[in-house]
Amino acid sequence: LKVAVLMLAFVGSAAWTPMAMSAESLSRRQMFKAASILAPIIAAPSIVRAKDLACPAGVNNCVEGYWKPPSGMSSSDAVASLKSVLEAYPQEGQASVDGGGWKLVEDTSSYLRLEFKSSGKGNFAKFLNGGKPFVDDLEIALDNNGAKFKSASRAGDSDFGVNGKRVEFIKKGLVSKGW
């Protein structure tokens, strides 16, 4: 944090030189100014991450897209509808996917992140991951028009269609609610 504040303070003022970039040389006013600029970024990391919900080019273990609620649905109703579909996802998984369950790990007004786990029982988990379940992340950035999502595996270069099956299951739930 101190490095970030110092860097921000340096960038924010042409009067500072690289030689004056020690915590001791910063005035209290300069520290508060830098902290006030940096605080929203630290307090709301979803603002930064929401822009980065794109799969890297050429990967086979990631899917992305956009879910749009029905026109006329309020933002709060859309979020409630989306959350109800996510909460209905079976903990025991579905279609041989996510046998290790899932959990909501981040929930802000504009960003959701869920972790899904494989059962850890398959040969790939046994031989390639030490018998531990594979973990995938589903990230959802909410805006006034809908929800941008990315579902990606943390490890490997292929997911054998797991992320696509997960997203398709959620999409069916949203379609049943008019999305």
Side-chain angles (χ1 to χ4, degrees):
L1 178 61
K2 186 184 280 187
V3 171
V5 170
L6 291 172
M7 287 174 58
L8 184 60
F10 176 71
V11 171
S13 172
W16 295 344
T17 64
M19 297 173 90
M21 283 190 51
S22 69
E24 293 79 25
S25 68
L26 292 176
S27 72
R28 191 176 293 167
R29 179 177 289 166
Q30 291 166 328
M31 287 292 284
F32 279 118
K33 179 181 177 186
S36 69
I37 294 169
L38 199 59
I41 296 168
I42 293 169
S46 59
I47 294 169
V48 175
R49 281 188 244 136
K51 297 183 230 172
D52 299 325
L53 292 185
C55 296
V59 299
N60 297 314
N61 64 353
C62 182
V63 293
E64 65 179 274
Y66 196 84
W67 294 316
K68 189 164 178 63
S71 91
M73 181 180 274
S74 71
S75 293
S76 60
D77 287 345
V79 170
S81 174
L82 173 62
K83 284 184 176 181
S84 74
V85 168
L86 294 172
E87 290 165 358
Y89 195 90
Q91 279 293 332
E92 66 279 359
Q94 50 84 32
S96 301
V97 171
D98 303 324
W102 62 272
K103 64 182 175 179
L104 180 63
V105 293
E106 192 168 346
D107 183 356
T108 70
S109 61
S110 62
Y111 179 79
L112 303 169
R113 185 171 66 86
L114 296 92
E115 289 180 354
F116 292 83
K117 292 184 179 181
S118 70
S119 67
K121 297 176 184 175
N123 286 333
F124 284 109
K126 288 178 186 172
F127 299 123
L128 301 176
N129 207 30
K132 298 176 191 169
F134 289 103
V135 180
D136 295 348
D137 294 297
L138 173 60
E139 296 179 273
I140 304 169
L142 306 164
D143 62 28
N144 291 334
N145 299 314
K148 178 159 178 46
F149 68 85
K150 176 176 91 170
S151 185
S153 303
R154 289 186 185 173
D157 59 359
S158 177
D159 68 353
F160 300 101
V162 167
N163 286 293
K165 289 178 184 177
R166 177 182 309 119
V167 167
E168 199 53 40
F169 184 92
I170 294 167
K171 178 184 170 187
K172 286 179 185 175
L174 290 171
V175 167
S176 74
K177 294 187 176 283
W179 287 54

